[in-house]
Amino acid sequence: MRKIISILAVIAAGALTSVNLAFAVFTIEIDEGVVRGIPIAIVPFGGDAADQFLRSADRIISDDLTRTGRFDPIGEDQHLSKPTSAEEIRFVDWQLIKADYVLIGRVESVEDRVGNFRIITRLYDSFEQKQVFGVQFIATADQMRVIAHRIANAVFENITGQKSSFESRIVYTTTIPNGASGAAEHVLYVADYDGFGPQVVLRSEYPILSPSWSPDSTQIAYSELRSSGARIYIQTVATGERFEIDTPQGHNSAPSWSPDGQRLAFANLTGGNSDVYIYSLKDNKITRVTNHRLIDTEPSWSPDGKHIVFTSNRGKDPQIYQALARRDAATKRVTLDGRSNTAAQYSPSGDRMVVITDQGRGSQVGIFDFKSRGIQVISSTTLDDSAKFSPHGDMLIHVVEGKDRYIKILSPDGRVQTRIPVADGLVKQVDWEKSPQ
Amino acid sequence: MVNRKKSRKFVGRSVTLALLVHAAIIFVVGVSIIFRQEIMHETVDSDVTPVNAHAVDEAEVIAEIERMQLAEERERAERIAQQEQLELALKQQKEAERLAREEQQRLAAMEEQRLEQEEALRQMEEQKRQAQAEIEAAEQQRLEEQQRIAEAEAERLRQAEELRQIEEQKELAQAEFEATEQKRLAELRQAEEAEARRLLEEQELQALEDQKRQAQAEIEAVQQQRDEQQHQSEIEKQKLDEEIEAKRQVALELAKREQLEEAEQQQELERQQELERQRLAAEQEQREFEERAQQARLKKQQEQLAREELLRQQEEELLRKQEEERLQEQLRRERLEQRARSEFSRYIPQIKRKVEDAWIESPNSEGLFAVLEVEINPVGEVQAVTVFSSSGSLAFDRSGTIAVRKASPLPIPKDRELFQYFKRFRFEFSGAPQ
């Protein structure tokens, strides 16, 4: 018996040893995913008030998500079911059409508050079969788009972990050749980022150039081209009040707000020579940053406020140069590739710049990477101008020149390019709000 | 056969004794044997001799006187002879009576012995019956024991103890039987000795007979002498006839006694044969009983041995099997691991490809690193995905989780044996630079 026990012990020890000898859990490295949109099903909202409110909410949300290039909404025609509440969800329906996520919602009237609606929406992970989030809003009918963008933003944030720019605004300038007075009219519009809800900030007989949002989103700086020269104005969006800043003689243009909102960088063109200056809003002092016989223009602040990049043709072809944001700063060339690189703007994270680059095909939107020092062309059009990052870097916007001028939103990888509506006239330049309200 | 031999030996011994006795008698009587024998023959041969009548004359008277004188002499001699003969006969009779008495006593003793033997046989029979009953009881126990065989070892030992006791009892019975048998054999031997004695006595009787015959012969010799000396007379003849008759009577008596003895001997032989038969039958029975007991014991022993052997074999078999199984298991495991390794090199790229195809990588995930652990079922379907080590970005972790889920079922070897190596593994998701 003892012998048996000892043998059993040996066997047990052997078993343990063999367990120890067995493989460790093996690991597979996954380092190359696909670049494509996340499949998401956005089910048209249900509920008793769905028709009165948010009739096209699913469309707004879908467009928002699509523009970032991060999502690939699945068309309604492919949906196998149309759930509007948690109880109606069948995950297999969404797994079958390979929808990673499903967004559903209901809109109901609020009985004691006429004109108010309750919007309940839920996002599900159809493979993990879990709800990702559930939110509820009370809103009036005129807040429809805001609510839709907010839902899209919630989806984006929850899935990508980043903030979206769906609730931000843009500013753009247009020229209406035959205005109310019969002469050409120049208008400054503020609109939702997707072009909806445009509002006139300024109508002018003078061309309005290079609009620029203040960091706090309350003001817009722009240049008005008068017969005496271009002048820089700062206008409060909410009130329409504006003032002109003290600038040197000549044409003053391309105002750019410092990140702290205390300074404006701008270009001054005098006698065929353009240089970069800084205007201090605190003490109205002007600092000349560059002093070169050739053109230095289109300044843009780095997110940390230390540097200014600008376009210069001092190296024969127009290229992007960088200087410290101080008097007579040393400059260094930043962009090296392409025939020309102009109109640079730092990305919100500061590691990249968007430029208008000419790589031989025309003017295109390109992304310059400070690390690789390479430029990646992201637009498919060749008459691009005025390219700007969205406040969270999830999209870019630019103007396409030509006969039919328009505004285009690009995903950062350029995979998704969507045209947005312009209120009126021929769009000239555009800028994106820096910090959405 | 043995007995016959023995009796022959006894006869020989008896003859020797008889001869000795004979010699003694011859010495005592002191008469010529050869002479007597011749007379005896004549006497016996001329059974009845007619007496012839003669003419009487002077001479006849003288002859008659001489004859009378002779007769007187003869009468005197005859009286002496008769006296002697009477004394001899008396002695013989006394001896015969003594012998008969002794024989009677001996027969009575033998009867007693026989009765004792019968009693012993009966007792033996009884013991045998008891032993038989015990055997049957033991047999019963053994049967019951067989039923209980799977039960406790203690029970088995106890039964073994009982069996041993039974066997001891049986041995005791056997010993008793053997003692009885020895006793019986001793008795038989005694009987044989008695028989020998009897034969000796017979021999003695024969010797006496011979003496008698010698005496007869002497008497006849005297007669012969007288015949030779003078003519035989009718009276003489008559007397001789009477003598002869008397002798014949004695001979007849002797013959009768011989016959009786023979019958007795026959009876004794039959009785002995019967005893022998009984003894043989008893022996046979005893042998059979012993054989059965022995067989039962042997069977029991064999069964016990078989049980022990079986147990030992089972134990050995178990140990051997366990060792074999362990070795085989080890070998199998090694082979399996070998196979698993080669299958890894085949299937890991396939799994990687499928998951990477399903993974929608976040554009700004550079530097993010998450480890997900996955559990799959034998057909490769993903059962659970858990974040083993988070990247810090919920979205990045989720993108990996969804990728693994969507890649389900994962390509794994069809071989179910290898499943254990594939049922749980990890994915390391690394965010790529843009």
Side-chain angles (χ1 to χ4, degrees):
Chain A
M1 196 61 191
R2 184 167 295 205
K3 198 176 173 189
I4 293 170
I5 286 166
S6 65
I7 284 167
L8 286 175
V10 166
I11 290 165
L16 286 173
T17 312
S18 58
V19 165
N20 288 340
L21 287 172
F23 295 4
V25 173
F26 70 91
T27 301
I28 298 175
E29 287 175 17
I30 304 297
D31 41 28
E32 211 174 323
V34 291
V35 178
R36 57 158 291 190
I38 295 165
I40 183 170
I42 297 156
V43 184
F45 285 13
D48 65 346
D51 282 347
Q52 301 167 53
F53 184 86
L54 283 183
R55 224 175 127 188
S56 55
D58 57 295
R59 184 61 201 261
I60 295 165
I61 296 163
S62 177
D63 286 348
D64 281 354
L65 295 172
T66 302
R67 285 185 194 110
T68 63
R70 305 284 299 273
F71 289 88
D72 192 1
I74 293 166
E76 198 189 320
D77 55 338
Q78 289 181 54
H79 297 180
L80 299 173
S81 53
K82 306 209 178 302
T84 59
S85 63
E87 301 78 45
E88 293 166 21
I89 279 277
R90 281 184 69 235
F91 291 110
V92 68
D93 288 352
W94 310 105
Q95 288 170 6
L96 277 170
I97 62 167
K98 294 191 163 42
D100 293 8
Y101 297 94
V102 192
L103 183 78
I104 60 164
R106 294 180 67 78
V107 184
E108 289 158 0
S109 313
V110 181
E111 281 177 24
D112 53 350
R113 285 165 68 182
V114 178
N116 282 265
F117 301 94
R118 178 181 290 107
I119 303 103
I120 304 156
T121 183
R122 296 173 196 276
L123 178 70
Y124 292 96
D125 178 333
S126 48
F127 285 94
E128 282 288 304
Q129 310 194 4
K130 287 193 299 203
Q131 178 179 293
V132 179
F133 72 78
V135 287
Q136 174 178 303
F137 304 94
I138 305 275
T140 52
D142 61 333
Q143 293 172 304
M144 177 190 86
R145 294 193 71 89
V146 177
I147 296 298
H149 287 310
R150 193 158 291 176
I151 292 167
N153 184 45
V155 170
F156 188 90
E157 268 196 58
N158 274 280
I159 293 174
T160 68
Q162 291 156 5
K163 286 189 185 301
S164 79
S165 305
F166 303 146
E167 291 180 75
S168 62
R169 294 173 292 172
I170 53 168
V171 58
Y172 61 88
T173 56
T174 63
T175 297
I176 304 163
N178 302 300
S181 60
E185 198 176 44
H186 307 277
V187 187
L188 186 67
Y189 285 107
V190 167
D192 291 348
Y193 94 97
D194 57 1
F196 281 84
Q199 290 180 325
V200 175
V201 176
L202 174 72
R203 283 183 192 274
S204 172
E205 54 183 301
Y206 307 108
I208 302 165
L209 306 169
S210 40
S212 175
W213 282 100
S214 69
D216 63 3
S217 298
T218 58
Q219 295 172 310
I220 296 167
Y222 56 87
S223 163
E224 204 175 43
L225 184 59
R226 297 183 174 236
S227 51
S228 59
R231 309 233 175 238
I232 292 172
Y233 293 87
I234 293 174
Q235 185 162 348
T236 301
V237 178
T239 59
E241 289 173 14
R242 67 169 191 173
F243 62 95
E244 187 192 344
I245 61 168
D246 295 331
T247 50
Q249 289 289 313
H251 292 288
N252 296 290
S253 66
S256 172
W257 294 84
S258 70
D260 60 5
Q262 301 295 313
R263 292 176 289 177
L264 274 176
F266 64 93
N268 173 268
L269 175 66
T270 312
N273 179 31
S274 177
D275 281 308
V276 173
Y277 292 77
I278 293 171
Y279 170 76
S280 172
L281 289 162
K282 271 186 190 168
D283 49 18
N284 296 332
K285 278 186 178 171
I286 289 173
T287 308
R288 183 169 179 165
V289 179
T290 67
N291 191 353
H292 199 275
R293 57 179 179 85
L294 291 174
I295 292 166
D296 299 330
T297 185
E298 300 171 334
S300 173
W301 293 83
S302 67
D304 60 5
K306 288 179 180 171
H307 296 93
I308 289 170
V309 288
F310 58 94
T311 308
S312 175
N313 66 349
R314 56 180 76 181
K316 191 182 174 189
D317 295 324
Q319 293 293 343
I320 306 301
Y321 291 77
Q322 189 187 50
L324 283 169
R326 60 178 173 85
R327 180 182 298 273
D328 297 330
T331 60
K332 63 173 182 181
R333 184 167 164 175
V334 179
T335 58
L336 304 165
D337 294 342
R339 289 182 186 171
S340 72
N341 291 290
T342 60
Q345 188 207 19
Y346 274 99
S347 70
S349 54
D351 57 345
R352 292 176 291 168
M353 295 188 304
V354 59
V355 294
I356 301 300
T357 184
D358 182 355
Q359 303 284 331
R361 290 182 60 212
S363 295
Q364 292 184 290
V365 178
I367 301 287
F368 173 83
D369 190 303
F370 278 100
K371 215 182 278 175
S372 68
R373 306 198 80 82
I375 290 172
Q376 183 195 358
V377 176
I378 60 167
S379 74
S380 56
T381 45
T382 54
L383 293 167
D384 303 341
D385 190 18
S386 187
K388 303 288 169 63
F389 271 106
S390 70
H392 297 295
D394 52 342
M395 291 173 276
L396 291 104
I397 196 164
H398 72 98
V399 170
V400 180
E401 293 176 333
K403 263 191 196 170
D404 176 29
R405 302 172 74 99
Y406 60 92
I407 301 171
K408 214 165 73 176
I409 290 177
L410 298 175
S411 62
D413 59 5
R415 243 178 6 91
V416 180
Q417 306 189 9
T418 52
R419 183 172 172 167
I420 62 166
V422 172
D424 195 9
L426 299 169
V427 64
K428 292 277 186 86
Q429 286 172 311
V430 64
D431 192 31
W432 209 318
E433 196 176 15
K434 304 287 185 300
S435 54
Q437 299 298 302
Chain B
M1 196 61 151
V2 175
N3 285 346
R4 205 169 295 165
K5 250 184 204 168
K6 271 184 186 170
S7 48
R8 220 174 271 168
K9 209 170 154 192
F10 277 127
V11 168
R13 214 185 290 169
S14 305
V15 165
T16 317
L17 276 166
L19 282 169
L20 284 166
V21 172
H22 211 117
I25 290 163
I26 286 165
F27 182 74
V28 168
V29 174
V31 178
S32 169
I33 293 164
I34 304 160
F35 199 60
R36 180 190 60 93
Q37 273 182 339
E38 277 174 9
I39 289 166
M40 274 293 283
H41 278 288
E42 203 178 320
T43 317
V44 172
D45 286 347
S46 54
D47 195 13
V48 176
T49 309
V51 178
N52 295 321
H54 296 287
V56 181
D57 55 9
E58 258 280 330
E60 259 185 66
V61 174
I62 298 160
E64 181 67 23
I65 294 160
E66 283 174 358
R67 198 180 54 92
M68 287 283 280
Q69 281 173 338
L70 265 169
E72 260 180 24
E73 275 180 25
R74 204 187 58 183
E75 210 172 53
R76 194 165 46 83
E78 207 175 88
R79 254 198 316 275
I80 294 162
Q82 264 183 343
Q83 189 70 32
E84 279 175 2
Q85 206 178 351
L86 201 73
E87 278 172 17
L88 188 69
L90 212 73
K91 207 168 127 193
Q92 277 180 349
Q93 200 180 347
K94 263 186 190 165
E95 185 64 23
E97 271 172 13
R98 190 184 60 78
L99 281 170
R101 216 168 34 245
E102 279 178 5
E103 180 64 13
Q104 202 106 28
Q105 281 175 354
R106 195 182 59 79
L107 281 170
M110 271 172 74
E111 184 62 24
E112 208 173 322
Q113 278 180 355
R114 197 182 57 80
L115 284 167
E116 277 173 15
Q117 278 178 352
E118 274 174 7
E119 179 62 25
L121 271 169
R122 202 165 53 246
Q123 280 175 3
M124 210 169 72
E125 196 67 35
E126 184 62 32
Q127 279 172 348
K128 225 160 64 185
R129 260 202 305 280
Q130 278 178 7
Q132 185 64 31
E134 277 168 5
I135 286 164
E136 277 168 10
E139 187 66 23
Q140 185 64 28
Q141 269 190 342
R142 196 182 60 75
L143 282 168
E144 284 170 10
E145 196 185 340
Q146 262 180 342
Q147 289 175 338
R148 289 196 305 269
I149 216 142
E151 291 177 14
E153 183 72 2
E155 182 68 7
R156 190 181 65 75
L157 284 167
R158 192 182 63 77
Q159 283 179 354
E161 181 60 25
E162 275 176 13
L163 191 74
R164 195 181 59 74
Q165 281 173 359
I166 287 159
E167 276 168 9
E168 265 175 17
Q169 281 176 348
K170 273 195 293 202
E171 275 163 19
L172 212 65
Q174 174 66 12
E176 277 171 16
F177 175 81
E178 275 166 11
T180 313
E181 182 66 6
Q182 269 180 354
K183 198 170 144 196
R184 199 177 59 79
L185 281 169
E187 280 162 358
L188 270 171
R189 206 155 45 240
Q190 276 180 354
E192 275 169 4
E193 275 165 17
E195 179 69 6
R197 270 200 309 278
R198 197 179 58 77
L199 281 168
L200 197 66
E201 280 158 13
E202 273 171 19
Q203 208 64 43
E204 281 166 7
L205 273 173
Q206 187 65 43
L208 281 172
E209 185 73 16
D210 286 349
Q211 277 181 339
K212 233 161 49 183
R213 281 205 196 102
Q214 276 178 5
Q216 183 72 28
E218 279 163 12
I219 292 160
E220 278 166 6
V222 173
Q223 199 174 6
Q224 188 64 31
Q225 230 175 357
R226 199 189 56 199
D227 280 353
E228 277 172 6
Q229 288 168 352
Q230 58 187 341
H231 299 290
Q232 283 185 335
S233 72
E234 220 174 340
I235 297 160
E236 273 180 288
K237 278 180 186 169
Q238 210 170 347
K239 278 186 182 168
L240 270 170
D241 286 349
E242 279 169 9
E243 276 172 40
I244 288 159
E245 184 61 23
K247 280 176 202 166
R248 199 162 55 225
Q249 281 299 317
V250 170
L252 269 170
E253 179 67 23
L254 278 170
K256 230 159 86 183
R257 217 164 69 191
E258 249 176 54
Q259 220 173 2
L260 194 77
E261 276 173 10
E262 205 175 317
E264 240 173 61
Q265 208 172 347
Q266 184 63 32
Q267 210 183 347
E268 176 64 19
L269 197 70
E270 279 173 8
R271 195 178 60 78
Q272 279 189 0
Q273 277 173 352
E274 177 62 22
L275 275 173
E276 181 68 15
R277 205 164 51 244
Q278 283 176 355
R279 191 181 64 78
L280 284 170
E283 274 177 4
Q284 180 65 23
E285 262 182 72
Q286 178 65 19
R287 253 201 314 281
E288 281 172 5
F289 155 69
E290 275 174 26
E291 216 165 283
R292 274 201 305 277
Q294 179 70 12
Q295 275 174 0
R297 205 164 47 236
L298 272 172
K299 199 175 169 197
K300 196 157 182 62
Q301 271 181 353
Q302 278 170 353
E303 279 171 1
Q304 177 62 20
L305 278 172
R307 268 201 306 277
E308 279 169 8
E309 178 66 10
L310 194 70
L311 271 171
R312 196 183 58 74
Q313 278 179 355
Q314 281 175 347
E315 193 174 308
E316 270 180 13
E317 180 69 8
L318 183 73
L319 291 177
R320 195 183 57 72
K321 249 187 195 166
Q322 282 173 342
E323 178 63 13
E324 201 172 297
E325 275 169 16
R326 192 184 67 77
L327 285 171
Q328 285 205 340
E329 174 60 26
Q330 198 180 329
L331 195 69
R332 199 182 65 80
R333 187 171 285 280
E334 278 167 12
R335 284 204 191 120
L336 213 58
E337 285 180 5
Q338 189 63 35
R339 206 137 48 84
R341 279 193 191 90
S342 71
E343 291 296 84
F344 279 153
S345 58
R346 245 182 84 206
Y347 281 91
I348 285 180
Q350 292 182 35
I351 296 171
K352 181 181 163 79
R353 200 175 311 129
K354 198 163 184 196
V355 174
E356 285 189 339
D357 285 351
W359 184 36
I360 298 163
E361 196 178 351
S362 171
N364 37 18
S365 61
E366 188 180 353
L368 294 179
F369 181 81
V371 183
L372 306 182
E373 191 160 284
V374 61
E375 269 178 57
I376 61 170
N377 69 11
V379 292
E381 287 171 350
V382 173
Q383 301 297 295
V385 187
T386 48
V387 179
F388 184 78
S389 164
S390 175
S391 63
S393 161
L394 199 65
F396 186 80
D397 294 351
R398 200 191 289 116
S399 74
T401 304
I402 289 173
V404 174
R405 287 278 186 190
K406 283 173 84 176
S408 175
L410 295 171
I412 62 159
K414 296 268 185 292
D415 190 343
R416 289 290 172 95
E417 273 195 309
L418 296 176
F419 174 60
Q420 55 176 311
Y421 301 107
F422 284 87
K423 65 180 174 188
R424 184 196 298 269
F425 51 91
R426 289 175 192 158
F427 289 107
E428 287 178 358
F429 283 84
S430 309
Q434 288 195 358

